[in-house]
Amino acid sequence: MAKTFQWEDSLEKALARAKAENKPILLDFFNPQ
Amino acid sequence: MGAVTYPDVRVVEFILENLIPLQVKSNAQPIASDFNVKWTPTLVTLDSDGKEHHRTVGFLPPEELVPSLLLGIAKCHFDRERYEEALNVLNKLLESYPKSDAAPEAIFLRGVSLYKSTHNPKPLKEAYEKLQAEYPSSEWTKRAYPYRLIP
């Protein structure tokens, strides 16, 4: 099974993880259509 | 990006190791307005306080996304005056992706980071000389042009 990553969908959750894991955030705005 | 770039194993491994991935619709409010998003894909590198440090607009293939993300991480360090950390990331970018579109800006930022951390202006001139030799038509070569005069 191919390795993958899970996107966060909430800025608040991403910020909490970023602080906890001491990592920056990659924020991707995508076209929903 | 979702069909080509994000499934690439190099991208997956890089993001798992280095970043918190957050994906939102370009019409999601208030975040799209907060970040002034006008086109997709728009990729923004944020620090853990939510402050923006780097942005790209438009498709990037895997071999360009990873160095662009490295540049974003380096800028997070640079903007916080963590020059040693910035230099580590920039050196990794330039060693692993010397032909990437992010490389000229990385050379420029490495010169500035070295100057800021040592107060020795020589790395600025060296950055210009490297840019002139390897990327003569880059905008970053033009931005570094005054550094040629450093003795």
Side-chain angles (χ1 to χ4, degrees):
Chain A
M1 188 172 176
K3 191 189 282 188
T4 187
F5 58 85
Q6 296 297 316
W7 293 99
E8 296 291 345
D9 59 5
S10 150
L11 178 59
E12 290 70 26
K13 287 181 186 174
L15 287 169
R17 277 190 61 197
K19 286 187 186 300
E21 299 178 34
N22 193 29
K23 293 178 181 177
I25 294 167
L26 165 60
L27 169 53
D28 175 2
F29 289 94
F30 72 101
N31 186 343
Q33 297 178 344
Chain B
M1 298 289 289
V4 175
T5 302
Y6 289 134
D8 186 279
V9 65
R10 296 164 292 179
V11 173
V12 170
E13 289 179 351
F14 182 84
I15 289 176
L16 283 171
E17 185 173 347
N18 295 287
L19 291 157
I20 306 299
L22 167 63
Q23 193 170 49
V24 298
K25 296 176 182 176
S26 59
N27 58 3
Q29 297 300 341
I31 190 168
S33 294
D34 290 345
F35 284 93
N36 196 29
V37 173
K38 303 298 183 190
W39 194 244
T40 60
T42 291
L43 307 181
V44 186
T45 306
L46 309 175
D47 64 26
S48 58
D49 293 322
K51 185 175 179 183
E52 177 176 343
H53 295 272
H54 182 60
R55 172 180 295 223
T56 62
V57 178
F59 172 79
L60 290 173
E63 63 272 19
E64 291 293 345
L65 178 62
V66 172
S68 177
L69 295 176
L70 281 166
L71 184 58
I73 294 169
K75 287 180 173 181
C76 287
H77 292 307
F78 178 86
D79 290 344
R80 290 175 159 183
E81 301 184 353
R82 299 194 301 228
Y83 302 119
E84 189 169 334
E85 292 92 333
L87 286 164
N88 287 337
V89 178
L90 293 166
N91 285 330
K92 182 177 178 182
L93 190 169
L94 292 168
E95 288 166 10
S96 301
Y97 306 95
K99 299 300 181 188
S100 67
D101 291 342
E105 186 174 355
I107 293 168
F108 183 96
L109 193 59
R110 183 172 65 177
V112 176
S113 297
L114 282 164
Y115 171 67
K116 297 275 275 185
S117 60
T118 65
H119 303 293
N120 176 3
K122 192 175 178 183
L124 294 171
K125 185 174 186 177
E126 292 171 346
Y128 169 73
E129 290 171 344
K130 184 173 178 66
L131 286 163
Q132 177 61 33
E134 299 179 17
Y135 309 92
S137 60
S138 168
E139 68 174 286
W140 293 99
T141 307
K142 295 171 188 166
R143 294 190 194 197
Y145 187 64
Y147 307 154
R148 78 194 188 287
L149 300 173
I150 293 170

